Structure formats: structure tokens, C-alpha cells
Amino acid sequence: MKGTSHALAGAGVGLGVAIWVDAPPTATGLLIGLGCVSGLAPDLDTNGKLSNRISLHRKWLWYTLALIGVIIGVYSLITFSGIAKLIGTAIALIMIIVPRFLINQRFMIFLSGTAVIAFGWYWREMWIISFGLFMIAATFLPHRGLTHSVVGILIFSYISFLLEQSILINGVVYSCSLGYLSHLLMDMKCLPFNKKGIKWFQPVYNREF
């Protein structure tokens, strides 16, 4: 299932929740947005739409490290001599070449999650810290792993509960939890457009549905 379909389904859930709780226009927009994000959240364990939107693209880190490498290389060639020049040039080449092979989008999500945690810590917002931890944990999981299970729903629902307690807008938990659930339902093997399903009850029970 493509990310666009998950986003639209999540947005539809958010709209439905907004109508159900009779939310005002501003809150309706927020609930639709939260449903959209929640509908994409399970795919933080892969290179999906949400992971690309909320993290810097790896190319920016490549270019930054390459630029630093060029500066180090030029400085070493101009300033040093002998072994020091060789070491400086080697470091420069490593910074220019190696990141393209080692730094992928999962690594960028990890860095973004760390930044989110730092931001949440600064503002003393537990839901931001928790979401940052969710992002980092997802980078260590296989695609359609725990983020695509009851465990993932429960954790994300708790994060959305913390968010609702922070902003005091009715319907946030329902919009986020049901938006997240919509993703899992649309990834089930029983649907004709899915070759693979999800393991709802992993790690306890690993049958695919």
C-alpha cells in the first residue's frame, strides 16, 4: 500500500473523529492533520513518506561532511607536511567518500529523533520526547515489525494521550489511534493488493494476517 493511500485514510479518520466530537474548525484541521501523520507513522521503520518528511534527507549530511572534508584536505595540503599532510588528506577523503556508503535514511531518522527528544526536553513536553523515542526505536526494527502490531498501536496511543493532555483538544487520542490502526488494516494480507500481511500480535504470536 502506497504512503499516499495511508495518508488519505488517516486524514479521513481525523475528519470523521472531528465530526463525531463536534470539533470547531481549527481543531478539525488539527485532527485531520494528526490522522494523516498517524496513518503514516507505522512506516517510520522504512524509507516512507513520513520518514522523508520529518527527517533531513541524507544528502544534506553527505554534502555537509564532504564540504568539511574538502576544507580539511585543502588546509592539510597548504599547512602541513609529511605524515601530518597524509593523515589530513586521508581524513578528508574519508569524510568525502565514506558517508555515501554508511549514512542512509534510517540513520537520518535516528538523528532527527534525537533532535526531537532534545526539543521535547527543552520544552518539558513528554509527548515530544516519547515521539522522538518512537522514531529512534523504529530505525532498529525491520519493516512491518513491532510498529505494525498491537504493541505499536498501544505505544502510539499513549503518545497521543500525552499530546491530548498537553493541548487539551478533544478527539486527539481517537484521531491518532484510529489513524494508526487504519494503516495496519490496509496492510493486511487479506486485501487483494497486498502480497504480504502484518503480524498483529508479535512478538508473542508471529502468524501473518
Side-chain angles (χ1 to χ4, degrees), residues 126-147:
M126 275 306 301
W127 73 270
I128 300 178
I129 295 173
S130 300
F131 185 67
L133 290 171
F134 183 87
M135 290 173 63
I136 290 175
T139 64
F140 292 98
L141 299 173
H143 183 41
R144 298 201 177 190
L146 286 176
T147 61

Side-chain angles (χ1 to χ4, degrees), residues 8-22:
L8 289 173
V13 168
L15 177 60
V17 170
I19 294 172
W20 179 44
V21 300
D22 195 24

